[in-house]
């Protein structure tokens, strides 16, 4: 015979699971949701769902090769095709996108480019070592003054 269970509220304001005669089966619970969850759990214990054959134990660290040789070849070919498309699309990218990407992925290269762009105006520049008297004498010799 099937047992009928109900969720009822007791005098203390808490929820309990009772049978047809009013006898407490489980509880008390703080919330109605907790009581219903317990009721579902009790119901599922009485009639467990049939176990699916697809639920197999997972052996971590041991990759299973379920695909055929043809499937693996097809996957490899697809990956190579995607890699090639990615390279082609990267080459078609606008210059500013490529420069930003180069700066992000190669900071040393960006630094070298920046230093090269500075040219001879750095701290070790010849311009900084010019004597003002010598510069004025050279300018006078040319007749620019």
């Amino acid at each position: 015979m099937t047992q009928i269970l109900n969720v009822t509220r007791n005098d203390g304001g808490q929820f309990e699971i009772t049978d047809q005669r009013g006898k407490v089966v489980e509880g008390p619970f703080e919330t109605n949701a907790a009581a219903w969850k317990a009721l579902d759990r009790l119901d599922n214990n009485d009639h467990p769902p049939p176990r699916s054959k697809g639920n197999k134990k997972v052996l971590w660290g041991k990759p299973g090769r379920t695909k055929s040789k043809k499937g693996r070849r097809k996957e490899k070919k697809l990956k190579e095709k995607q890699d090639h498309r990615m390279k082609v699309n990267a080459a078609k990218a606008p210059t500013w996108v490529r420069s930003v990407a180069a700066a992000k992925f190669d900071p040393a290269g960006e630094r070298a480019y920046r230093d090269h762009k500075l040219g001879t105006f750095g701290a070790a520049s010849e311009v900084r070592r010019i004597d003002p008297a010598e510069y004025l004498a050279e300018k006078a010799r040319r007749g620019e003054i």
Side-chain angles (χ1 to χ4, degrees), residues 23-73:
K23 183 180 175 189
V24 176
V25 177
E26 195 168 334
F29 300 99
E30 291 294 320
T31 62
N32 190 17
W36 280 103
K37 188 172 183 180
L39 181 63
D40 287 340
R41 191 173 55 245
L42 287 172
D43 188 39
N44 285 338
N45 287 343
D46 292 341
H47 307 287
R51 185 165 180 235
S52 172
K53 293 187 190 300
N55 294 341
K56 292 182 180 176
K57 195 189 284 187
V58 177
L59 301 175
W60 295 103
K62 292 184 178 180
R65 288 200 145 177
T66 56
K67 294 186 178 178
S68 66
K69 195 172 187 180
K70 185 177 179 181
R72 284 192 301 261
R73 255 189 259 136

Side-chain angles (χ1 to χ4, degrees), residues 70-144:
K70 185 177 179 181
R72 284 192 301 261
R73 255 189 259 136
K74 195 173 185 180
E75 244 181 48
K76 185 179 178 185
K77 194 172 184 179
L78 181 64
K79 185 175 178 348
E80 288 172 357
K81 195 173 187 178
Q82 287 174 342
D83 289 344
H84 178 70
R85 285 301 324 155
M86 190 167 57
K87 288 177 184 176
V88 168
N89 290 337
K92 288 181 184 177
T95 307
W96 66 271
V97 172
R98 286 192 304 241
S99 64
V100 168
K104 186 169 184 137
F105 296 115
D106 185 20
E110 174 65 20
R111 211 169 25 250
Y113 172 72
R114 188 180 61 230
D115 293 346
H116 175 72
K117 199 164 69 171
L118 283 174
T120 57
F121 297 104
S125 172
E126 294 294 324
V127 175
R128 295 194 186 265
R129 294 190 196 132
I130 293 176
D131 183 30
E134 189 179 308
Y135 174 72
L136 291 172
E138 179 70 30
K139 214 169 185 187
R141 251 187 278 144
R142 288 190 197 156
E144 296 175 5

Side-chain angles (χ1 to χ4, degrees), residues 4-8 16-20 22-26:
I4 298 175
L5 300 174
N6 296 317
V7 174
T8 58
E16 298 174 333
I17 299 175
T18 58
D19 61 2
Q20 287 176 326
K23 183 180 175 189
V24 176
V25 177
E26 195 168 334

